[in-house]
Amino acid sequence: MAFSALAEQSVEDNPQTLSLSDSPAELQIANRTIMVFRAVLMGEVPAVRVERADAAISEIMRDGGELQVTLQPIQKSFIVLLNGRRSFIVTPKDVDPLEQQSTEQTAKLAAERLRQVVEETHEGRTLSAMLSAVGYSLAATLLFVALLWSIHWLRRKLYQALPMLMQQKARDLKVGGAQILDLRFLYTLVNRLLDLLRWTLVLLLAYEWLSFVLSRFPYTRPWGERLNSYLFDVLEYVLQGIVRAVPGLLIAVLIFFIARGISAFAQRLLKRLAYQSHSVDWLNEETLQPTSRLTSLGIWLFALAMAYPYLPGAGTEAFKGLSVLIGLMVSLGASSLVGQAASGLILTYTRTLRNGEYVRIGEHEGTVTEMGMFTTRIRTGLGEVLTLPNSMITGTVTKNYSRAVQGTGYIVDTVVTIGYDTPWRQVEAMLIEAARRTDGIVSEPAPLVFQTSLSDFYPEYRLVAQAIFTLPRPRALLMSALHAHIQDVFNEYGVQIMSPHYLGDPLDAKVVAEENWYAAPAQRPATGEGAGAGDQSTNKS
């Protein structure tokens, strides 16, 4: 029976052995890999074949002498012979399916490795070769120590020269007379960079020294070769990655440059529309800045989405995991953030508030100092700066005291309640007189008094006036001065500021006699003119 037919028959007759053939076994001689067995041969699984080959080769090499490695073909397989004796057999099923090699090429490679083991074994038994290896190792060690001392010496010299050099250069780096770099932080940064460079060089030298020394001795030579090949493989991998990433990186940079140009064009276009065109109502000086920011944000987000597939590492699992993590964080924390931003946009484009206006938002009252995307700041009359969320502003009633005034300024108002036994004309005149005496309240438009309510026990009078916005006086001080003048005026004319509440009917009717309708400081109107706000009577004096 032929050899290949016998091997196939052995596999068919022993299905349990066939299941073990899926576990490859590696043949190592003198710390070097010779062959990886993958097939079941004559009932022997790869692990058993490795044991037999190891025993056969070790027995032949113990005999010493000049050992010859040859190949002998048999059917579709090859026998590797050592001094004419069989070492192991290479079958077609032993060929690595990932490598495009024939059975003969695999057998020749295994024979070459075995020949190298034979030569290294002979070298290890030669005294001159070992002495030469020791000499080279000592020379490499001395060179390694000398290089380490050189690095240490150079580091010490740099540390001595760097402070003066950095001080001289830092003095030249100034903008507007201010020094850009802080020497303390700069010195720490440079020290750390030098330490990183030093340790990198030390590790590379140690790596190369170890690889060189291991390569001098036959038994450790495979380890040295692996160290060298690993370092070169890493460098090759990094260089190949850089080369592969360059085209995509160039495309991404080109996309970002195009986005930058479009963004600059959009900024200039929006600016012209805001200052020169009156056909776009929603775009003006107030909405120009947020509109420009939103436009730029949209352009750059679109550019990032376009450039993302071309970025280095965009297709790796780590990059995908990072994208999922960022998306999860944004989705969990973006609800309130998006709500605040949307409220800010609503306030901006509906022009509910403007910088410099005096407003009342809920229980808070003051001058708008800053309108942001997420919050709005107002300064109260007491000098406090309040930061209000935009969502709170859109969800509450906002009173704007500056929007209806003439020119720059804001509205001030106050309320008093006086009994029905005091002439309303006198009360109105006294309130207007108090407003006239208060610095910061303008005479044009003139202050007005409104009777806003006729309660059970007293009428309610509201004084409304316009204050000068440019006057350096907080509203709290202005209101305090106005209230002080109201008290002074009422005291001068003998009118009590009180809101009476009756427990029973009075003996005398609480009415104002007609002759007291125009008590000072009220002035009687000319004949034929109205007698005052709400006065429908005829002048009978």
Side-chain angles (χ1 to χ4, degrees):
M1 181 181 295
F3 174 76
S4 59
L6 179 62
E8 293 174 359
Q9 184 65 32
S10 300
V11 173
E12 292 174 357
D13 294 342
N14 198 346
Q16 184 177 1
T17 304
L18 179 63
S19 63
L20 296 176
S21 65
D22 294 336
S23 302
E26 189 178 77
L27 173 62
Q28 283 192 352
I29 305 296
N31 205 27
R32 188 178 292 277
T33 300
I34 305 299
M35 178 69 189
V36 177
F37 295 119
R38 295 179 173 83
V40 177
L41 181 62
M42 291 182 292
E44 294 180 350
V45 295
V48 176
R49 294 176 61 192
V50 167
E51 293 178 0
R52 289 186 178 276
D54 189 8
I57 295 172
S58 299
E59 181 181 358
I60 297 171
M61 293 181 65
R62 279 196 296 268
D63 296 339
E66 294 291 336
L67 302 179
Q68 300 292 329
V69 180
T70 56
L71 282 179
Q72 179 180 340
I74 175 172
Q75 294 294 331
K76 297 180 181 180
S77 304
F78 289 86
I79 302 177
V80 179
L81 302 174
L82 182 59
N83 264 7
R85 297 168 60 181
R86 189 188 75 174
S87 299
F88 53 87
I89 301 174
V90 181
T91 67
K93 293 185 179 181
D94 289 326
V95 179
D96 189 355
L98 299 178
E99 298 179 0
Q100 298 180 354
Q101 289 183 349
S102 63
T103 307
E104 183 178 3
Q105 291 174 336
T106 303
K108 287 183 178 180
L109 181 59
E112 183 62 30
R113 292 172 180 171
L114 181 58
R115 190 175 295 110
Q116 187 176 0
V117 169
V118 170
E119 294 175 355
E120 290 175 348
T121 303
H122 178 71
E123 180 183 350
R125 295 173 180 175
T126 305
L127 180 60
S128 60
M130 296 304 296
L131 291 176
S132 176
V134 172
Y136 280 115
S137 299
L138 289 176
T141 303
L142 292 176
L143 179 61
F144 175 64
V145 173
L147 290 175
L148 290 182
W149 182 86
S150 301
I151 292 175
H152 178 71
W153 177 83
L154 182 60
R155 172 179 174 270
R156 189 174 65 240
K157 291 296 183 182
L158 286 175
Y159 280 1
Q160 293 175 356
L162 274 177
M164 185 177 297
L165 180 61
M166 287 189 297
Q167 189 174 5
Q168 293 175 355
K169 296 299 182 182
R171 290 174 181 173
D172 299 334
L173 296 176
K174 293 183 179 180
V175 175
Q179 189 169 314
I180 299 176
L181 300 176
D182 191 339
L183 287 180
R184 293 176 299 172
F185 296 106
L186 180 61
Y187 186 73
T188 303
L189 176 62
V190 173
N191 282 345
R192 292 180 178 178
L193 290 177
L194 288 177
D195 287 340
L196 178 62
L197 179 60
R198 178 172 66 94
W199 282 109
T200 302
L201 292 176
V202 169
L203 292 176
L204 285 176
L205 289 175
Y207 190 95
E208 288 298 324
W209 170 82
L210 181 62
S211 174
F212 179 81
V213 171
L214 291 177
S215 300
R216 295 307 95 195
F217 301 93
Y219 186 79
T220 60
R221 188 169 296 159
W223 296 344
E225 293 174 354
R226 290 171 193 167
L227 288 177
N228 277 329
S229 63
Y230 177 76
L231 181 61
F232 288 128
D233 289 343
V234 170
L235 293 176
E236 182 182 3
Y237 174 77
V238 172
L239 292 176
Q240 288 180 354
I242 293 175
V243 171
R244 286 194 298 265
V246 166
L249 192 60
L250 290 177
I251 295 177
V253 171
L254 180 61
I255 292 175
F256 287 135
F257 270 109
I258 295 175
R260 181 182 178 184
I262 295 176
S263 177
F265 172 76
Q267 300 293 324
R268 291 192 295 270
L269 178 61
L270 292 173
K271 193 172 183 179
R272 287 197 299 270
L273 290 176
Y275 289 103
Q276 301 178 9
S277 176
H278 301 286
S279 60
V280 184
D281 297 334
W282 56 269
L283 187 60
N284 49 36
E285 296 183 14
E286 299 174 2
T287 59
L288 175 61
Q289 185 176 5
T291 304
S292 300
R293 291 179 178 176
L294 290 174
T295 304
S296 297
L297 179 62
I299 293 173
W300 284 108
L301 286 178
F302 181 77
L304 181 61
M306 293 293 294
Y308 174 81
Y310 300 101
L311 295 177
T316 60
E317 295 298 328
F319 213 108
K320 294 178 182 177
L322 181 62
S323 302
V324 172
L325 178 61
I326 294 176
L328 182 62
M329 293 172 61
V330 171
S331 62
L332 291 177
S335 56
S336 60
L337 190 67
V338 173
Q340 297 289 353
S343 300
L345 293 177
I346 292 173
L347 293 178
T348 300
Y349 287 101
T350 57
R351 304 178 191 176
T352 304
L353 303 175
R354 295 175 184 171
N355 288 339
E357 292 183 337
Y358 196 92
V359 296
R360 183 176 182 85
I361 303 171
E363 300 179 353
H364 309 291
E365 185 175 301
T367 303
V368 179
T369 59
E370 181 182 349
M371 292 186 59
M373 181 67 72
F374 305 105
T375 58
T376 296
R377 289 186 174 89
I378 64 173
R379 186 180 63 252
T380 66
L382 299 176
E384 302 170 334
V385 177
L386 305 180
T387 301
L388 306 179
N390 288 334
S391 59
M392 187 271 282
I393 299 176
T394 56
T396 189
V397 176
T398 300
K399 295 181 180 180
N400 195 319
Y401 295 103
S402 301
R403 190 63 59 85
V405 300
Q406 298 179 4
T408 60
Y410 56 89
I411 298 297
V412 293
D413 64 331
T414 188
V415 176
V416 295
T417 54
I418 307 297
Y420 283 105
D421 55 347
T422 303
W424 62 264
R425 298 175 182 82
Q426 184 183 19
V427 174
E428 289 185 1
M430 288 188 294
L431 290 175
I432 292 175
E433 174 64 19
R436 185 185 62 80
R437 296 182 183 182
T438 304
D439 293 336
I441 295 180
V442 298
S443 57
E444 290 296 334
L448 297 175
V449 178
F450 300 93
Q451 298 186 36
T452 57
S453 175
L454 296 177
S455 301
D456 291 340
F457 309 119
Y458 48 79
E460 182 180 272
Y461 301 91
R462 179 179 294 271
L463 171 65
V464 180
Q466 180 175 335
I468 304 174
F469 177 74
T470 56
L471 191 68
R473 193 177 203 184
R475 189 173 188 271
L477 295 179
L478 180 66
M479 294 300 297
S480 178
L482 176 61
H483 291 157
H485 287 302
I486 290 175
Q487 294 184 66
D488 290 343
V489 173
F490 273 63
N491 288 330
E492 290 174 7
Y493 291 99
V495 177
Q496 300 181 26
I497 301 178
M498 59 183 302
S499 303
H501 287 258
Y502 295 109
L503 299 178
D505 291 334
L507 295 177
D508 299 325
K510 296 295 183 179
V511 296
V512 179
E514 185 175 354
E515 60 269 15
N516 295 327
W517 282 4
Y518 296 98
Q523 298 180 0
R524 187 181 300 275
T527 304
E529 295 181 2
D535 186 7
Q536 302 297 330
S537 61
T538 306
N539 186 0
K540 299 179 180 180
S541 60

